[in-house]
Amino acid sequence: MAEIHGDAGQQVELERVQVSAIGELFDERLAGARAQLREVLAAVADGAGAVYEREVAAGRLAGEVRRLEGAEGGLVFGRIDLADGTALRIGRLGLQRDGDELPVLVDWRAAAARAFYEATPVHPMGLRRRRHLSVADRTVLGVSDELLDGSAPAAGDVLGDGPLAAALQARRTGRMGTAVATLQVEQDAIVRSPHRGVTVVQGGPGTGKTVVALHRAAYVLYAFPKAAERGVLVLGPNARFLDYVSQVLPSLGENDVVLATCEELAGVRPGAADGFAAARLKGRADLAGALAAVVRARQAPDGEFAVRVGQEWVRLDAAEVAGAREAARAGGAAHNRARELFLELLVDALVDTLARGTAETLERLDAEVALLTGIDLDRMAARDLHRLGLDAEPTAGGEEFDADAVRAALLDDAHLDRAVERLWPRLTPAEVVDALLADPAVLAAHLPQLTDTERELLLRTPGAPWTGADVPLLDEAAALVDGPPARDFGHVVVDEAQELTAMQWRTVLRRCPSRSMTLVGDFAQAGPAATARDWDEALAPHLGRRFDLRTLTVSYRTTQQILATTGELLRRIAPGQPPVRSIRQGDEPRTVTAAPERLVDALLHELRTQAAAHPGDLLGVVCADDRLPALAAAGVEHHARLVPASEARGLEFDEALVLDPDGIATARPAGERDLYVALTRATKRLCTLRPDPNA
């Protein structure tokens, strides 16, 4: 560690002492939480109730331990000095010492920390100075102050570059880090928004959409306890992206986080892929109505019901069956649960029919006996009861028919269940989707608005592997037959939200009944399966206009030189979308040409050259998807991260090497948007490698 002299050195030493003291208090809290957890786990529980209470307490304490452990690295990162001389240190969580009026450490999400992010010389918010700490673990390496009240520098002020400059120049690691110490004003305003519903964050490459969304999620869990009770879902486009962002929320002290793709959310692993035209069709909202119609068609559509009970057949007419069907549907239960209600209603009707039949049979027998013998059995029984001092008068058949026993026996009767199965079968999600997509006649009946060609694209062979576009259909079918998902979330973050189809939005919204969500994306980066052109079109069918749209305008990652090279491309793929401005300057992008058969060799040469010139930098090679196997076989992954253009959204590298840009642009529909993504992944340098037959 470099030695720091003079006033700066004194301030660093002062902050080291303070950070050390904060660390000791933190260690006490962590040790105490661990000790409590061990004590609870070791306690002997007497009875089921005590076991449950112990498990609840252990879960709460384990969560607290994980929260503290997640915030341990970089515990303190800033300080604000108010004009009245009060000093507050800002960190990843809050710490208070008993008896102290002021907190030892202010949680970055607390109202008291707001000025650390939002104060400016024009609006100092009562601050004289904002101090940024450069910290490795708990060792303070340096300090940098911003004077906000217009006063001249005084003893103890250390002016210099802030942490944003350091963060921008830092090498990429292949994992997204927090921006908790470097959130800018327009970003922090979104993070701390009081809006409790859906917040949409849009912005061009490098504006920090994803990091803002993740910090927003952490803030929601801090500020809105009801959301925290159910945890956070972070939905990403692919596993590569989720791995990239996986450490952000835990490092902010939030561990009740589920990271998933739509496929993982639905519990389906696709084994095949659709063409883009078929994928777009399967993403249409029309499919939800068609699947619901398929299910309704399996719910006792019409006709009578007959079942053998004992030695006789019992029949219910069509009106009784229809009444049971409508009553079972009326509660809004899913198909399989409604089937059980339908069965119970049919059994009630059967019991009533059997009771009436028994009574009628006994009355007929009584009448026949009276006709033949002249004896009225009912009157004779009444006289006998009266002699015994009883006034009760038996009703015809009342003593012979036990309705409750008959009902219980019918509900447990396998023969009756099989009869109901023919009328209202139990269904699985796969059966429902196959019933729609594997039958041309059913497709035509339930999707008449599609053309014959479109319906042919939707056809599938029963038992064939499921595709990614089938997944939201299976999830929709699961909701129809089995009800809502087992788990929902207090807050949901959707990254690359412009990619979601209408059916995928239904999958997401089922997991967030509170509609507390942060959605981020950029329609200039939309892939070929996306159909919406703006947020109104994407969200209106599900949310109306009930969302708060925010726009980030400054790129902190991508240099001005790189953005300039993509200006014409942006105008083609997103006419009318203003380009973002960058606060960074960098090298002019380079172009390397080579004969087509030598292009991979040129790439390997460039990778070795750049690795030698910039040791430690993270290099990324982005290519058309069909080039991936050949590049992997050539050993590119020994030198760089190799990424297909279809999966490059959201990633970043110190240097991006884009292989055959024209090939990316023409590899698939919306390929020019893939190219735009590929060209804007670099934080420092961009190199494009183009095949040239004349080279």
Side-chain angles (χ1 to χ4, degrees), residues 124 136 199 210 215 246 277 301 305 326 372 400 478 517 521:
T199 299
T210 299
H215 286 69
S246 61
F305 176 71
E326 296 310 314
L372 292 173
E400 290 81 4
M517 306 174 72

Side-chain angles (χ1 to χ4, degrees), residues 18-150:
Q18 295 299 321
V19 170
S20 177
I22 291 171
E24 290 176 3
L25 182 61
F26 173 85
D27 289 341
E28 290 175 11
R29 178 185 285 193
L30 179 56
R34 286 171 173 164
Q36 284 184 283
L37 177 59
R38 287 194 298 269
E39 183 179 334
V40 167
L41 292 174
V44 177
D46 184 15
V51 170
Y52 174 76
E53 290 177 3
R54 183 184 65 183
E55 294 304 313
V56 169
R60 178 181 56 79
L61 287 168
E64 175 67 3
V65 169
R66 289 195 304 271
R67 188 179 76 88
L68 292 171
E69 289 174 341
E72 190 170 11
L75 184 62
V76 189
F77 55 78
R79 164 180 160 175
I80 51 177
D81 294 339
L82 281 66
D84 64 5
T86 303
L88 297 174
R89 285 174 173 80
I90 314 298
R92 293 176 187 265
L93 49 72
L95 289 172
Q96 181 87 34
R97 187 181 286 110
D98 292 342
D100 286 357
E101 181 180 352
L102 293 175
V104 173
L105 188 65
V106 177
D107 191 303
W108 68 274
R109 296 165 290 191
R114 189 167 196 144
F116 180 79
Y117 298 99
E118 298 185 6
T120 67
V122 177
H123 300 289
M125 299 177 69
L127 300 190
R128 176 188 176 271
R129 179 175 70 179
R130 172 169 48 217
R131 169 166 287 181
H132 302 278
L133 308 183
S134 174
V135 181
D137 294 324
R138 297 184 189 175
T139 301
V140 178
L141 304 178
V143 299
S144 176
D145 295 334
E146 297 173 77
L147 302 184
L148 300 168
D149 64 351

